[in-house]
Amino acid sequence: MSAALLEVRDLRVELKRGKQQLTALDGISFAIAPGEVLGVVGESGAGKSLTGAAIIDLLVPPLKRTGGEIVLSGRHLDALSREDMRKVRGRRIGFIAQDPMTSLNPVLTIGQQLVDTIVTHLPVSKEEARQRAVRWIARVGLSDPARRLDQYPHQLSGGMRQRVVIALALCAEPELVIADEPTTALDVSVQAHVLQVLRDLHEETGVAVMLITHDLGVIAKMADRVAVLYAGRVAEIGPTSEVLRTPRHPYTSGLMRATVAPGLDRKALDPIPGSMPNLSSIPPGCAFNPRCARATAECRSQRPPLVDYRDGAGKHACFHPLEDGR
Amino acid sequence: MLAYASGRLVQTVLVLVIISFIGFLLVSNLGDPLASLLTADSTAADRAAMIKALHLDEPITTRFLSFFGGLLQGDFGISYRSHEPVAKLIAERLPATVELALASLFITLLVAVPAGVHCGVHPRSALAKAIMFGSIAGVTLPNFVVGIALIGIFSVKLGWLPSFGRGQVVDLGFWRTGLLTASGLKAIILPAIALSTFQVALVIRLIRTQLMEVGLSDHVRFARARGLTDNRIWYVYALRNTLLPVVTMLGLQLGNIIAFSVVTENVFAWPGLGSLFLQSIQAADMPVISIYLILIGAMFMVINLFVELSYPLIDPRVLRRKA
């Protein structure tokens, strides 16, 4: 895995609540190869968005990264100064924000926001940046791009704004883009268009994507590999087709069975019993053990390590993995 | 934009007419112009002539119309006290007050914007805490106390700056300015600072609160995720979003400074409108008082008009909300 574009090792994020020190991310490890799409799934609160924010150092206090390594093309991001980290954001790692309705500055034009981002990172003139901005607007599929530059966010619809957000994330030509639930805030009919734009740009530019979502359907369509998070830990990671067809971790399998998919009758819907624990009450051993039918005494006392299966194509953290995905 | 601007303009004119009417009622109902203007030895014929000259025998509507027509032509009536035209009295004093107000506004912006941004961006830094502590003093200390303290330090102890008057003025024909001479500039510093202390404290607090809120917004977070520099984020991306309330408040405060700089003008013996107003009240000089009130009302309205016209430039969503 030395050829990885981004490598995250043993990432820890903690927060202080009162006198309690709580662990939000507990030893997250994964890697993204150049040009790859890594899906990151899990329930709300599993730590998906936190992982993304921790990588680009955008954690909001009291959340704090307290350990682990983040390496981008051989460069340790975890040791960078504030100013050096700023230069990485946007230029090396783009970020697609979740809610297009609130993520664009309401009092600046689309063009100003694009041009600002471009000239911050690339050695081009304002005029050149403006021309690039026009091209980016066209690339994300908005009509009449030259006129769009002078419009304000409130003059665009939600789907159009999310396209602008994507253009903003990619306009300084990063090698990796972190897409934090890019379609969650959109209407279903618009979601497909926005995903298509993201996919087209991924194919055109070769940018690697870390796609954070709770939607397994989106993962199935977009991701080469998928990481399943649970309670701030990686439950399972591997090639998407492999993980979705024959999940090893009981949690992944539970997620699959709880997913609403067209063509399934009502009986097939099978929610996972219980709910994900609070940060303050993560059980000892495997975090999933209270909800797991296969849990044993070992699961309740020891935390299962992330181990390889199938010659390292994938990894899971389970003492009693499923063999046939059931 | 045009509809928005003309809407504001019509509103402003309407309010101005109403203010004029109230001013007119003051002159026509308070005090006795004849007692003030006629001398002790004047005859009944003099009296009748004076009534005729002042149109006191005509119905109230006619008198208001001629009063209002006079206002439009710059005929503001005659002072009961000095028997001079009110227009002349005001024209002599207005430049001093306006210059003082603008100078204090300038100081306010110069000090309060960077200080407010610093406090909003680093609310927990030692400097921010010191600024906030100082701003409590700024809000609570009355202007005249600040003025006296400034005189005590910079005029009496150090002798750097004059403690009273306007220094030398230059007559531009329509305006007598103290801003073009060294002594005039020196003279305006202390009163302008004294007058601005309250504003500075208020604006710092306003910007700080607004910025702290905007700093948590998604769009600032996204701007940071794109690697924009801190200066760009705070001074352009965040500050722009706090300007509506700040500009509104600055407009009101500018009106306030012009209207009620009375106390500060007195402390520094500044020859402005404030001291004229005080003298007129003592002499029950109704024409001057009412014209002063109308003028102040007009200034408030005009400043407010400009403030409202600036809204769409600051935040384009204003136009949509109105439409």
Side-chain angles (χ1 to χ4, degrees):
Chain A
M1 275 294 196
S2 59
L5 171 68
L6 176 79
E7 208 170 344
V8 174
R9 275 181 237 127
D10 220 10
L11 179 63
R12 283 183 74 81
V13 167
E14 297 179 38
L15 76 156
K16 224 177 187 160
R17 191 185 289 157
K19 278 180 192 144
Q20 258 181 314
Q21 189 77 12
L22 302 177
T23 306
L25 294 185
D26 190 355
I28 299 264
S29 298
F30 62 88
I32 301 179
E36 183 184 48
V37 179
L38 174 75
V40 177
V41 282
E43 288 168 84
S44 307
K48 309 178 298 265
S49 297
L50 273 189
T51 308
I55 291 171
I56 52 173
D57 195 22
L58 267 193
L59 291 172
V60 181
L63 286 164
K64 223 182 140 201
R65 185 166 49 74
T66 52
E69 292 171 278
I70 301 163
V71 183
L72 182 76
S73 308
R75 190 159 166 231
H76 271 263
L77 300 188
D78 44 284
L80 289 186
S81 69
R82 252 176 77 85
E83 175 62 9
D84 286 340
M85 192 61 215
R86 176 187 72 71
K87 289 179 185 156
V88 168
R89 286 197 290 266
R91 176 68 190 89
R92 312 293 308 279
I93 304 179
F95 181 80
I96 297 175
Q98 183 167 6
D99 187 352
M101 305 311 278
T102 56
S103 294
L104 297 172
N105 195 310
V107 300
L108 299 174
T109 61
I110 307 298
Q112 267 172 290
Q113 301 187 46
L114 273 164
V115 168
D116 262 354
T117 309
I118 293 171
V119 298
T120 299
H121 294 296
L122 303 177
V124 297
S125 67
K126 277 234 154 128
E127 292 74 51
E128 165 67 14
R130 211 177 149 78
Q131 284 164 20
R132 288 189 184 204
V134 173
R135 287 204 293 276
W136 275 108
I137 293 289
R139 287 175 90 170
V140 294
L142 289 184
S143 60
D144 207 354
R147 194 171 60 90
R148 297 283 177 214
L149 283 200
D150 296 321
Q151 288 189 321
Y152 290 92
H154 72 266
Q155 292 166 298
L156 306 180
S157 71
M160 289 155 89
R161 289 193 212 184
Q162 190 60 300
R163 289 163 192 252
V164 172
V165 168
I166 293 175
L168 280 165
L170 295 177
C171 65
E173 301 163 13
E175 297 106 273
L176 169 69
V177 63
I178 297 172
D180 186 4
E181 309 233 16
T183 57
T184 306
L186 300 175
D187 285 344
V188 179
S189 56
V190 183
Q191 287 184 3
H193 288 291
V194 169
L195 284 176
Q196 189 61 45
V197 166
L198 189 56
R199 195 190 179 125
D200 290 347
L201 286 171
H202 160 69
E203 275 160 21
E204 271 174 49
T205 62
V207 64
V209 183
M210 176 174 159
L211 180 60
I212 297 167
T213 176
H214 58 259
D215 188 339
L216 284 172
V218 171
I219 294 286
K221 267 179 256 162
M222 302 276 298
D224 302 317
R225 291 193 312 132
V226 57
V228 182
L229 299 195
Y230 185 80
R233 304 169 185 182
V234 177
E236 178 164 8
I237 181 168
T240 306
S241 54
E242 188 90 9
V243 171
L244 294 190
R245 206 170 303 135
T246 56
R248 302 296 205 283
H249 198 289
Y251 176 62
T252 316
S253 149
L255 261 192
M256 294 291 296
R257 276 182 280 125
T259 299
V260 186
L264 295 178
D265 59 33
R266 219 175 267 180
K267 274 182 195 158
L269 202 57
D270 185 8
I272 308 172
S275 58
M276 203 170 59
N278 278 329
L279 289 184
S280 52
S281 57
I282 293 176
C286 174
F288 188 58
N289 80 66
R291 303 170 75 185
C292 182
R294 304 167 71 91
T296 60
E298 189 184 20
C299 303
R300 290 183 200 102
S301 59
Q302 284 181 51
R303 183 174 162 187
L306 201 56
V307 294
D308 288 354
Y309 65 83
R310 287 230 330 181
D311 307 328
K315 296 174 186 196
H316 59 68
C318 182
F319 291 125
H320 311 292
L322 301 155
E323 296 303 330
D324 55 354
R326 305 248 133 215
Chain B
M1 178 70 201
L2 205 65
Y4 175 79
S6 52
R8 301 288 110 177
L9 203 62
V10 168
Q11 241 179 34
T12 305
V13 170
L14 202 67
V15 174
L16 280 180
V17 171
I18 294 172
I19 293 175
S20 314
F21 186 65
I22 294 172
F24 163 74
L25 287 181
L26 280 180
V27 193
S28 64
N29 288 307
L30 294 177
D32 182 356
L34 296 178
S36 310
L37 289 173
L38 289 174
T39 46
D41 57 349
S42 48
T43 62
D46 288 339
R47 191 180 163 81
M50 184 62 84
I51 288 176
K52 201 93 191 138
L54 294 176
H55 305 290
L56 295 181
D57 52 346
E58 288 173 31
I60 189 158
T61 43
T62 327
R63 281 167 57 205
F64 174 63
L65 286 180
S66 76
F67 173 82
F68 191 67
L71 283 186
L72 293 182
Q73 293 161 27
D75 171 13
F76 294 167
I78 305 272
S79 159
Y80 292 169
R81 183 169 56 93
S82 67
H83 298 198
E84 282 177 294
V86 178
K88 179 168 167 273
L89 289 176
I90 294 213
E92 281 172 5
R93 304 296 195 105
L94 187 64
T97 294
V98 169
E99 282 178 4
L100 180 59
L102 291 179
S104 103
L105 181 69
F106 177 73
I107 292 175
T108 303
L109 291 177
L110 200 70
V111 176
V113 172
V117 170
H118 177 86
C119 292
V121 177
H122 310 287
R124 265 170 286 193
S125 77
L127 179 59
K129 281 180 182 156
I131 292 173
M132 292 312 289
F133 182 77
S135 79
I136 295 176
V139 173
T140 44
L141 280 181
N143 278 341
F144 73 89
V145 174
V146 178
I148 291 168
L150 286 174
I151 289 176
I153 298 169
F154 293 101
S155 303
V156 179
K157 267 251 152 64
L158 300 171
W160 290 351
L161 297 166
S163 64
F164 67 92
R166 250 189 116 186
Q168 225 164 356
V169 293
V170 178
D171 199 338
L172 300 177
F174 62 99
W175 191 268
R176 293 201 311 165
T177 178
L179 298 180
L180 295 177
T181 63
S183 69
L185 283 176
K186 266 182 151 178
I188 205 169
I189 293 176
L190 288 187
I193 291 177
L195 204 49
S196 67
T197 44
F198 183 76
Q199 268 75 245
V200 167
L202 211 58
V203 172
I204 286 177
R205 292 178 157 258
L206 190 63
I207 290 184
R208 170 181 178 267
T209 319
Q210 293 280 324
L211 266 191
M212 284 171 69
E213 198 181 310
V214 173
L216 296 176
S217 68
D218 282 352
H219 62 82
V220 165
R221 180 177 147 89
F222 185 43
R224 201 173 290 136
R226 301 202 301 278
L228 300 185
T229 60
D230 278 357
N231 273 342
R232 191 108 199 121
I233 289 175
W234 290 113
Y235 279 94
V236 181
Y237 281 64
L239 195 60
R240 263 301 271 276
N241 280 282
T242 70
L243 281 188
L244 277 192
V246 173
V247 168
T248 306
M249 211 212 47
L250 279 177
L252 289 175
Q253 284 300 324
L254 182 64
N256 257 333
I257 302 175
I258 294 176
F260 308 116
S261 59
V262 179
V263 178
T264 310
E265 286 191 3
N266 243 16
V267 170
F268 289 94
W270 190 259
L273 282 181
S275 38
L276 174 69
F277 186 53
L278 276 190
Q279 290 158 8
S280 304
I281 288 180
Q282 277 155 7
D285 192 350
M286 286 322 295
V288 177
I289 294 174
S290 84
I291 292 295
Y292 176 80
L293 293 179
I294 292 171
L295 188 74
I296 294 301
M299 277 190 194
F300 261 105
M301 292 310 296
V302 170
I303 292 169
N304 214 29
L305 180 68
F306 277 109
V307 166
E308 296 212 346
L309 289 181
S310 77
Y311 284 171
L313 303 178
I314 296 169
D315 188 342
R317 290 170 299 176
V318 171
L319 291 181
R320 198 181 58 158
R321 258 179 250 140
K322 300 282 171 200

